[in-house]
Amino acid sequence: MKEYIPGRIAALQAELKKLELDAALIYDRENLIYFAGVTDLEGGVLCVPAEGEAELFCIWLEAGHMHEATGLKTTGFYFPAENQSIRAARWLAGLGLAKPRVGFTRYFISLKDYQCLREACPDMVVGDIATVCYRLRSVKCPEEIDRIRRAGKALEAGMSAAVASVRAGMPECEVLAEAEYAMGKAGSQGSPFRMQVLTHSRQMQKHPYAGATPLEDNAPVVIHLGATVDGYAAKMCRTVFLGTPPEECVKIYETLRKIQDDTVAALRPGVTCGELYDAAAASAEAAGYGKYWIMEHIGYGVGIRQSEFYPIIAKGSATVIEENMVVDLLLPSIYVPKLGGPRLTDTILVKADGVEYLTEFDRGIIRK
C-alpha cells in the first residue's frame, strides 16, 4: 500500500464523523485516484465507512491488480451478473442501518447507482462531500507535486511547438495538433480540458476551444494548454502577437503580466484568497483598467483536476492559502471591447519561503 493511502482514508472518515454521515461511496475517477491511489480503475467503487475498513469493488479480472496497487480490501464482481451499483448497494445494506446517512461527491453518481442504493436502502439519507474532498486534496504531498511538475515540463514542449508553428491563416486546431504531439512525446498522458488556440475575435468568449477558425494577422493569439502525468494536471496560457497588432492589445498583455507578478508576490501561506484577489484588482486599477476587470474568480487549485474547487481565488473569499497548495494564476483577461483577450496563466506551488512556477516558459511579449 502506498504510505499516504491510510492517512487519506482516515482523514475522510474524520470528516464523515463531523458531518454525521455513516459512509461515503466514491465512484468518480478523480477521487478514486486520490483515495485509492490508482488511475486505471473503471467501473469500480470505493466504499468507506465512518468506522472500520474501506472496501474497493471492481471487475474480478482487475481485483488482484487493484489490491496490489492500493493495499485496500478489494472484492471483484462478475459482470454483467453484477456491477458496481449492485455491489455498493449490497455493501451499504450490510451496514445494518435503518436510515444510513451516505456522502457522495455531488457531480459524480449515476442514476443507476442511485436507483440501486435507494432500492436496497429506501430510507437512505444523502449528504454532499464534494467540498470536503476538494479540501482534502488541496494540500499536495511530494509525489503529487512531482507529477504536476512533470506535467508542467510536458507543457513547455507543447508551448514551444505551438509558438513555433503559429502563423496567420493557420487553423486554430492545427496549431493545437502540433502542441499535443509535442506534449505526448514529452510525457503527457492527455489534456485535462478542451484546450484553446484562439484567434482574436474569439478571445472574449467565456469557454471557447480550438476549432477550424483561421488565425487573424496583426492580432494576438491565445494558446491555453493542459497536460497530465499519472492522473495529475498542469495548465499554462501564453499570448503570441502576429504581425503588427494594436498597441493597446500589447499593453493589455503587459498589464496582465504586471498583475500576475503583483498577485504572485502576495501568494504565501496564511494569505486569504480574497486578499490575493484584492492584490490583482488593485494592480488592474493602478494600470487604469479597473473598470475592465470584471471577473470575480482569478484562479483555482490545481491537482487531479485542472481547476479544483478548493481553493478558489475569488473576491471576498476567506479561504486561507496553505503550504504545498498548487494554484493557477491568472485566469481572466482585461475585457476591453475589440481589444481585450490576451491571457497569461501559470501553475504555481506555494512554498514556506516563496513560490515555484511549475510551468516555465517565457512570460514576456512573444511576437511573430
Side-chain angles (χ1 to χ4, degrees), residues 26-175:
I26 307 295
Y27 293 89
D28 63 287
R29 181 175 181 270
E30 293 177 12
N31 284 304
L32 287 171
I33 290 172
Y34 186 75
F35 291 109
V38 290
T39 61
D40 54 351
L41 177 60
E42 300 289 340
V45 57
L46 177 62
C47 300
V48 182
E51 294 273 3
E53 185 179 13
E55 187 168 2
L56 182 67
F57 293 96
C58 64
I59 294 174
W60 69 274
L61 285 168
E62 297 181 333
H65 162 63
M66 288 300 163
H67 175 67
E68 183 178 351
T70 67
L72 296 168
K73 179 181 179 182
T74 304
T75 301
F77 55 77
Y78 290 87
F79 182 84
E82 294 182 313
N83 56 37
Q84 65 183 41
S85 305
I86 294 170
R87 291 311 300 255
R90 188 179 300 164
W91 179 89
L92 183 61
L95 295 180
L97 301 172
K99 296 181 179 180
R101 298 175 57 84
V102 187
F104 302 97
T105 54
R106 58 179 172 263
Y107 307 109
F108 302 109
I109 178 169
S110 73
L111 176 60
K112 182 62 176 177
D113 293 326
Y114 183 80
Q115 288 173 327
C116 283
L117 292 167
R118 183 61 75 187
E119 182 177 343
C121 301
D123 295 321
M124 174 181 69
V125 178
V126 172
D128 183 4
I129 59 169
T131 299
V132 162
C133 290
Y134 282 123
R135 178 163 49 79
L136 291 175
R137 284 160 44 178
S138 65
V139 176
K140 306 300 189 291
C141 72
E143 182 176 304
E144 292 175 296
I145 293 168
D146 177 67
R147 293 181 185 186
I148 299 170
R149 186 179 285 116
R150 286 188 285 145
K153 289 294 182 184
L155 282 176
E156 290 180 51
M159 190 62 72
S160 294
V163 170
S165 65
V166 67
R167 65 179 185 274
M170 189 175 189
E172 297 166 339
C173 56
E174 288 190 20
V175 177

Side-chain angles (χ1 to χ4, degrees), residues 327-344:
V327 301
D328 65 346
L329 286 168
L330 197 67
L331 282 179
S333 182
I334 290 173
Y335 286 82
V336 180
K338 298 184 180 180
L339 291 171
R343 291 177 184 264
L344 173 66

